[in-house]
Amino acid sequence: MNERRSPVRMRRKPNLIPRMERCASYLIPKPAERRGRWRELMPQAQAVYLELGCGKGRFTAETARQNPQALYIALERVPDAMVVAMERCRELDLHNVFFIDGDAAQLRDCFAPGEVDRLYINFCDPWPSRKHACRRLTSENFLVLYRGVLGEGGEIHFKTDNRPLFEFSLLEFPKAGYALSQVSRDLHGQGVQGVMTDYEEKFHLQGVPIHRCVAARLPMDPEPELLPLPWPGGVFPQRPEQENTV
């Protein structure tokens, strides 16, 4: 089974501040003030898509380009990666994508219940140690967290190269009230499917199988209780800078 390689440290980008300033129209500086009002950014939007840990934004830009009817929100906590993602969107002259500097722990502060139609989780940190299982973004408590922003029937699209994380996640989704579909343990085995991240293409070319599934939010009564997040104050610890991080 494939074990996730060590995080790749991002090089510090030259002229980061002026580059960020040139992309300022894509950045939402106070996302909590947008809670319940995201569609005002694009009143004609048919859906709101949210990506956790967009990294350098190859997947972000291309998915937003292919879905012009959707308002796309990309969350990233590494500015050196985010600036590359924003520049990609600017080069494509996209007007349906915006960025948040933050992490998954803040989602309920930034989005109202039912405000998100689809959530993307691509190649998140697998936290392989059992004692760190609660930190995995597909652990039951995080999946409960996402229920607080997803509408009924809202979907989580999950991809990983880490087989143990994938098998773990397949057990966690039903416990948190999600119905699984499109489960694949070798997504690109018969040819490339969908939009790849930079990370995904690199390891696909090395012959590493990519795992993917879709999980749809089911109604639950009562709604499961969100437990305290595994870091003080709900803030993620500092991790090495990498292409896809939350």
Side-chain angles (χ1 to χ4, degrees):
M1 291 188 293
N2 174 47
E3 291 295 336
R4 179 78 176 269
R5 285 139 295 276
S6 298
V8 177
R9 187 174 296 277
M10 288 284 298
R11 292 181 180 179
R12 181 62 58 180
K13 301 300 179 187
N15 304 317
L16 175 63
I17 293 177
R19 290 171 67 188
M20 292 285 284
E21 290 176 344
R22 287 193 291 269
C23 298
S25 62
Y26 287 97
L27 182 65
I28 304 299
K30 297 180 180 180
E33 295 182 0
R34 278 278 165 196
R35 189 176 189 269
R37 300 190 300 111
W38 286 97
R39 288 178 186 265
E40 293 178 6
L41 293 171
M42 185 180 169
Q44 74 276 24
Q46 298 176 16
V48 175
Y49 295 169
L50 172 64
E51 181 183 0
L52 302 186
C54 69
K56 294 187 289 185
R58 172 179 171 174
F59 180 90
T60 308
E62 183 58 22
T63 303
R65 187 189 70 80
Q66 292 184 12
N67 296 275
Q69 79 290 348
L71 171 61
Y72 200 103
I73 311 298
L75 185 150
E76 176 56 56
R77 64 189 294 270
V78 179
D80 299 292
M82 182 188 292
V83 71
V84 177
M86 292 194 295
E87 287 171 344
R88 278 176 153 161
C89 293
R90 189 180 63 171
E91 288 172 4
L92 292 173
D93 194 29
L94 297 176
H95 300 284
N96 65 324
V97 57
F98 297 89
F99 291 81
I100 297 174
D101 180 358
D103 58 49
Q106 302 166 331
L107 289 187
R108 292 196 180 190
D109 295 330
C110 298
F111 294 89
E115 196 166 16
V116 176
D117 299 287
R118 181 182 299 175
L119 192 153
Y120 292 100
I121 304 175
N122 294 322
F123 303 94
C124 59
D125 192 327
W127 291 99
S129 171
R130 285 188 179 183
K131 68 180 181 179
H132 291 149
C134 63
R135 302 187 178 199
R136 300 168 188 165
L137 292 187
T138 52
S139 64
E140 183 179 2
N141 196 43
F142 273 103
L143 297 177
V144 170
L145 172 71
Y146 310 146
R147 290 183 64 88
V149 302
L150 282 170
E152 186 172 332
E155 295 179 340
I156 298 175
H157 290 217
F158 173 55
K159 287 198 289 187
T160 181
D161 63 310
N162 188 279
R163 180 66 177 270
L165 174 63
F166 189 67
E167 299 301 334
F168 166 86
S169 303
L170 293 182
L171 297 176
E172 296 293 286
F173 280 116
K175 291 194 294 184
Y178 293 84
L180 287 167
S181 65
Q182 302 181 43
V183 176
S184 174
R185 292 175 174 82
D186 190 6
L187 177 61
H188 308 304
Q190 302 300 318
V192 173
Q193 303 294 315
V195 180
M196 285 189 172
T197 71
D198 290 314
Y199 180 95
E200 182 176 4
E201 181 181 57
K202 174 182 176 180
F203 288 104
H204 168 65
L205 293 176
Q206 294 179 5
V208 176
I210 303 301
H211 316 298
R212 178 183 181 270
C213 69
V214 174
R217 181 186 182 277
L218 298 173
M220 296 183 75
D221 188 14
E223 274 291 311
E225 179 183 0
L226 177 64
L227 302 177
L229 292 170
W231 299 288
V235 177
F236 278 44
Q238 292 296 317
R239 299 283 294 166
E241 294 170 352
Q242 56 191 47
E243 180 189 311
N244 286 288
T245 184
V246 176

